[in-house]
Amino acid sequence: MNYIKEQNGQLWLTEDERENLKISYRIKEIIYSERSPFQHVMILDSYDFGRMLVLDGIVQTTSIDGHIYNEMITHVPLSLHPSPKKVLIIGGGDCGAAREVAKYEEVEEIHLVEIDELVVQACKEHLPEVSGNLSDPRVQYVYKDGVQFVKDHMNTYDVIIIDSSDPIGPAQVLFEYDFYESVHKALKEDGMMVCQSQSPIFHMDVLKQTYANIRHLFPHVHVYTATVPTYPGGLWSFTLGAKQPILFERLHTFTKQTKYANADILSQCFRLPQFMKEHLQS
Ligand code: SAM
């Protein structure tokens, strides 16, 4: 499948996984393009978003807005957890989330469980704006399916971050109840998890199902949002599940070096628009 089309001497990537919405990005150069056993992996240099990681033709993260998502999926749980020492990231092959977790000196181990080694290699070598060419010794790369990995690690982690691609292809299993149940068991008694829970505009069904699954397992569940320009509809959701009550005041003292997240953003991101409140309460 060739995801890049030439039109009038110009190269274009068109995301066409949606029936009635096609999003096209004009491409300067194809930096990397390989097929792994799991998916097609590309690093493209685009005019408007700089370099970007594209998996099976879908934009995953870019130099221009990848930090928004990577900061929001990490600094919320890492700031809320009282003493994060062992952190598990499922997916996250662009290394952007691991790069943010590494900013917490109290974290002793970061296990990055990515099914596709090609993604890590490509992003470390060709997408340093996101990966930071991560070389922190606390990061241990495990190249296997996250579903099996969490089953083998009971009562182990303080924070688990599910930084998955969309619920198609290899990531589909990361949106199923059984997986969240294994995540719950892999967390310590004061552990917390967060997952990217898709677009409240286009995927409210996925968000509602994810929220219901996590609520079934965790006593404290909250959804928060951020706007990621290269994700369909921009507005994106994250769902946090915690075994112990959440002390939100911790977010007011956030001081890490970031480009998007700050104490105000982290303290406000749980305030939801009316349509989301109504859907999540229904
Ligand atoms: N930040 C991006 C986003 O929100 O769409 C995605 C981050 S990262 C690119 C998503 C990663 O999840 C991909 O590298 C993909 O290979 C990995 N992945 C998908 N299914 C997986 C599974 N079952 N176990 C582990 N990693 C998986």
Side-chain angles (χ1 to χ4, degrees), residues 39 55 60 69 91-92 163-168 170-172 174-175 196 198:
Q39 55 208 339
L55 299 180
Q60 297 293 315
Y69 169 97
D163 180 9
S164 73
S165 21
D166 297 338
I168 46 178
Q172 196 155 1
L174 302 183
F175 287 80
Q196 72 92 355
Q198 298 289 102

Side-chain angles (χ1 to χ4, degrees), residues 98-113:
R99 186 184 180 191
E100 295 302 319
V101 173
K103 291 177 180 175
Y104 293 79
E105 55 278 0
E106 65 268 41
V107 170
E108 295 164 0
E109 289 181 72
I110 305 168
H111 295 170
L112 192 154
V113 180

Side-chain angles (χ1 to χ4, degrees), residues 39 53 55 59-61 69-70 90-94 113-116 119 144-147 163-166 169-174 196 231 236:
Q39 55 208 339
L53 170 67
L55 299 180
V59 175
Q60 297 293 315
T61 190
Y69 169 97
N70 287 319
I90 303 289
D94 54 73
V113 180
E114 162 60 57
I115 199 166
D116 194 345
V119 175
K144 62 166 58 172
D145 188 325
V147 173
D163 180 9
S164 73
S165 21
D166 297 338
Q172 196 155 1
V173 288
L174 302 183
Q196 72 92 355
Y231 290 175
W236 210 252

Side-chain angles (χ1 to χ4, degrees), residues 69 72-74 76-77 90 159-165 174-176 179-180 183 192-198 206-207 209-214 218 221-225 236-241:
Y69 169 97
M72 291 305 287
I73 203 170
T74 52
V76 169
I90 303 289
V159 175
I160 297 179
I161 295 167
I162 307 166
D163 180 9
S164 73
S165 21
L174 302 183
F175 287 80
E176 290 171 5
F179 172 64
Y180 294 123
V183 167
M192 56 177 74
M193 55 80 61
V194 68
C195 63
Q196 72 92 355
S197 38
Q198 298 289 102
V206 175
L207 171 53
Q209 186 56 63
T210 301
Y211 182 68
N213 284 339
I214 294 170
F218 290 87
V221 184
H222 298 275
V223 174
Y224 61 97
T225 65
W236 210 252
S237 75
F238 303 85
T239 301
L240 176 82

